[in-house]
Amino acid sequence: MTANVLLTIRNLRTHFFTEEGVVQALDGVDLEVYEKEIIGLVGETGSGKSVTALSVMRLIPQPGFIVDGEIIFKGKPLHLLSEEEMRKIRGKEITMIFQDPMNALNPVFTVGNQIAETIQLHNDVTYREAFNQSIELLRRLNIPKPERIVNSYPHELSGGMRQRIQIAIGLACQPALLIADEPTTALDATVEVQVLELIKRLRDEFNTSIMLITHDLGVIAEMCDRVVVMYAGNVVEKADVKTIFKHPLHPYTQALLGAIPYAERKKKSRLTTIPGTVPNLINPPSGCRFHPRCKHAMIVCKTLKPMLLEEEQGHFVSCFLYSKNKEFAEREHGVFEPLPGRIVY
Amino acid sequence: MAEPLIQVKNLVKYFPIYGGVLLKEIGRVHAVDGVSFEINKQTTLGLVGESGCGKTTVGRCTLRLIEPTSGEIYYNGENILKFKGAQLNKFRCKAQIVFQNPHASLNPRMKIKDILSEPIRIHKLLPKNEIENRVLQLISEVALEPSHLVRYPHEFSGGQKQRIVIARALALNPEFIVLDEPTSALDVSVQAQILNLLMDLQRKFKLTYLFITHNLNICRHISDEIAVMYVGKIVERAGADELFEEPLHPYTQALLSANPIPDPEAKRSKIILTGEVPSPINPPSGCRFHPRCPKRMDVCDKSEPSYIQVKPGHYVACYLYSNNKS
Ligand SMILES: Nc1ncnc2c1ncn2[C@@H]1O[C@H](COP(=O)(O)OP(=O)(O)OP(=O)(O)O)[C@@H](O)[C@H]1O
Ligand SMILES: Nc1ncnc2c1ncn2[C@@H]1O[C@H](COP(=O)(O)OP(=O)(O)O)[C@@H](O)[C@H]1O
Ligand code: SF4
Ligand code: SF4
Ligand SMILES: [Mg+2]
Ligand SMILES: [Mg+2]
């Protein structure tokens, strides 16, 4: 892909300073979003997907802070902007939609009112014009009976329709980047597919870049151009979608793909499992954070932290099994013997 | 020869809706509205459908945790709705349930060993001096450690809690277990551990499962047969592979096509339905799927298609497959 980079995240560390200790939620996240692409963030609970998104939006809840790294959007360092400057970007150039649309919608205003207000916030038009534009927007998004929908209140709509309205509001000022955090997780299958089609249209018709966060590898396979796999606050692998599914390199990605039951695979066959659970991020494992659960763990994995390096063209992986990290570990005198007590599975 | 352990005939369950100042009954939720199926011994029937279609209600009625409005439920040929006293007690040992949310299923103030021994004591299944051994055996069946027995539920992860819930269900040597979304609250890698465990236990203890899920991939993986529900009805039932390879009912076809496939090279042709699942309070007339059906015909909103066998072991309720279209 030779497209232009829209957003670059470098070595992002976001920590939460809680009473129990410092939760090292993001431990040096690296990723970029190109123009007009759908990039998927996938990983288990607590891997840092939402914190990454909230860091970009500069909406990290208390007691969280960006302690290191940079977030560059269209050349602007978001991590350095004042709240005032950030407000001009939020909802205009970057918008975020959430799993539960009720949080984003105001219950006491009609849908048309809310879309129109968003349009007016960023465009110099009258309320009437903005209201008409909101009907037009819903029509362009293939939402049935837009004239009626604009006059309804959020509670009068079904979950799937609310989610589509949230997307419409997010789109009202044609942002360059839309971040969608588990947008369809709460929806039924036949409604989920409607919303996913709508998200695809955004990219195809409005040229919006989309960062899609989900734990559903099926959704990733159907929607994304590129995929970022996260584990315990790190990006462990990054590549185009076909490479991730057909030729995964990181042991975590491989295990994750083996763990999903999927219709084409032989019935009642055993699934790959990953022993143990995701680590506590107040005292995360040293070195590679995956080492306590990795069947390939070596001594070096406990003593050194692997970096996200480009192993093949466009295919980045953070693991000492691969040449780039191996070279680095050899320079640091890492020991490649199996880690005593590593689990066989 | 396949022998049914469970036979459900014309199961109906309505929930009254109360309203007004006097809290009078103002309507009914048609949660389950005439459902029939069998589950053969040592097999798994997967029950799939979208939220609110009545899956949980079917599961609870089958165990008589709630009383059906009407219908018959046979367990080994005997109608459980007629069971009383000792007979009902015995059935309660043989038939168990595992729920979606393991956090809510475990009493936070009880140690694991008490959680596991409680059902054995209540049903007086074993003399006191044998209970401890049994509990040790149960905990190892679900691959947890004896040292876990003295701990409390909050000290465990979601997947470990679900193992404890499964161990408790096994305590009474059941034959039949209703698994209601047992992995929906779990992460993918932990979900795989639980699915493997359930398949192992089924083989080892010759268990029969009713597996309730909204996840089609899991359903096909674990089920021998699959029944698809839509607004209180089973619209189609077939062997798991047959249902996936040759879905007949237009709703099943749409549901399967909507299922995200974790393979970027898979061929896809999505059937995008309009609208959403209707409310079971006032279900649509005739075929309940007609307002969304891409293949609806004139007859479809007038009367209900009957649920018929169109091929050996393949049942469907749709006018496209019945001769009797009047
Ligand atoms: N105790 C109750 N009182 C009133 N309505 C009920 C009750 N239990 C269930 N229902 C209704 O019956 C219908 C079917 O419910 P059920 O819980 O069986 O659905 P389900 O398929 O299991 O859904 P989900 O996947 O969301 O759990 C729903 O409309 C539900 O709201
Ligand atoms: N408000 C908060 N306070 C403390 N820790 C938090 C907070 N929000 C998130 N975290 C921690 O940050 C890590 C990543 O969380 P998150 O990004 O929400 O994960 P997910 O990938 O499930 O979205 C987790 O360890 C989580 O416990
Ligand atoms: S760096 Fe070591 S522990 Fe980490 S994934 Fe690679 S082999 Fe496993
Ligand atoms: S009976 Fe008619 S409306 Fe119902 S599924 Fe069949 S064709 Fe569609
Ligand atoms: Mg999240
Ligand atoms: Mg349910």
Side-chain angles (χ1 to χ4, degrees), chain B residues 296-317:
Chain B
R296 65 176 282 195
M297 301 167 288
D298 285 342
V299 57
C300 297
D301 61 350
K302 302 204 172 52
S303 66
E304 211 176 286
S306 42
Y307 179 64
I308 52 168
Q309 180 165 225
V310 289
K311 274 192 264 179
H314 198 149
Y315 298 79
V316 63

Side-chain angles (χ1 to χ4, degrees), chain B residues 18-317:
Chain B
Y18 298 101
V21 246
L22 297 173
L23 291 182
K24 280 201 295 206
E25 185 177 332
I26 53 166
R28 285 163 153 195
V29 182
H30 298 230
V32 175
D33 213 353
V35 152
S36 304
F37 60 88
E38 304 86 54
I39 314 176
N40 288 329
K41 284 184 178 162
Q42 296 176 42
T43 68
T44 301
L45 175 70
L47 192 57
V48 278
E50 296 174 272
S51 146
C53 71
K55 306 178 298 291
T56 301
T57 307
V58 168
R60 287 171 175 246
C61 286
T62 311
L63 295 181
R64 220 177 132 188
L65 296 177
I66 49 176
E67 291 295 325
T69 306
S70 66
E72 293 153 56
I73 300 164
Y74 295 91
Y75 183 81
N76 263 325
E78 290 179 287
N79 191 344
I80 66 160
L81 300 177
K82 300 226 163 83
F83 285 178
K84 286 196 191 73
Q87 215 181 4
L88 185 59
N89 230 332
K90 195 167 155 229
F91 173 71
R92 295 243 182 272
C93 298
K94 291 291 166 206
Q96 294 292 321
I97 186 161
V98 171
F99 295 109
Q100 167 170 358
N101 189 343
H103 314 284
S105 314
L106 298 170
N107 183 338
R109 281 178 292 275
M110 278 167 77
K111 288 187 181 145
I112 305 310
K113 66 169 194 234
D114 299 321
I115 289 174
L116 295 182
S117 57
E118 187 185 43
I120 306 175
R121 274 185 281 117
I122 290 175
H123 289 276
K124 299 191 178 63
L125 214 67
L126 288 173
K128 270 209 175 76
N129 56 352
E130 286 174 33
I131 294 182
E132 196 178 325
N133 263 336
R134 175 69 177 149
V135 166
L136 278 169
Q137 186 202 346
L138 287 169
I139 202 85
S140 80
E141 290 300 351
V142 296
L144 292 175
E145 312 276 326
S147 66
H148 289 142
L149 287 169
V150 293
R151 300 212 203 147
Y152 289 92
H154 74 264
E155 300 173 56
F156 294 90
S157 68
Q160 288 174 320
K161 280 187 205 156
Q162 199 59 298
R163 287 174 190 272
I164 295 163
V165 174
I166 293 169
R168 182 180 58 187
L170 291 175
L172 299 171
N173 297 314
E175 294 172 333
F176 175 54
I177 305 182
V178 173
L179 300 153
D180 189 355
E181 307 261 11
T183 62
S184 304
L186 307 175
D187 263 322
V188 186
S189 70
V190 181
Q191 164 187 296
Q193 295 170 6
I194 299 294
L195 292 175
N196 283 344
L197 174 68
L198 290 170
M199 290 187 289
D200 292 344
L201 294 172
Q202 177 168 48
R203 236 169 282 130
K204 187 160 175 192
F205 298 110
K206 306 188 180 349
L207 298 170
T208 304
Y209 288 155
L210 175 62
F211 195 103
I212 296 173
T213 177
H214 64 272
N215 183 316
L216 288 161
N217 292 325
I218 292 180
C219 194
R220 183 174 192 188
H221 189 82
I222 198 149
S223 310
D224 299 288
E225 278 200 292
I226 296 177
V228 181
M229 277 190 85
Y230 189 75
V231 201
K233 299 258 177 207
I234 291 183
V235 296
E236 183 165 7
R237 175 160 73 93
D241 289 333
E242 180 161 331
L243 189 97
F244 269 79
E245 278 149 27
E246 251 186 283
L248 296 178
H249 196 282
Y251 175 65
T252 313
Q253 291 168 351
L255 193 64
L256 292 180
S257 87
N259 184 33
I261 311 169
D263 176 357
E265 288 178 333
K267 278 201 296 293
R268 296 180 166 84
S269 54
K270 300 268 173 211
I271 302 170
I272 312 244
L273 298 176
T274 53
E276 316 207 1
V277 182
S279 148
I281 297 174
N282 278 312
S285 64
C287 168
R288 291 182 179 188
F289 187 54
H290 86 256
R292 305 174 76 196
C293 181
K295 297 185 182 161
R296 65 176 282 195
M297 301 167 288
D298 285 342
V299 57
C300 297
D301 61 350
K302 302 204 172 52
S303 66
E304 211 176 286
S306 42
Y307 179 64
I308 52 168
Q309 180 165 225
V310 289
K311 274 192 264 179
H314 198 149
Y315 298 79
V316 63

Side-chain angles (χ1 to χ4, degrees), chain A residues 16 18 23 25 44-51 61-63 281:
Chain A
F16 292 90
T18 67
V23 180
E44 291 174 277
T45 318
S47 57
K49 307 179 295 293
S50 304
V51 173
Q62 288 296 327
L281 296 183

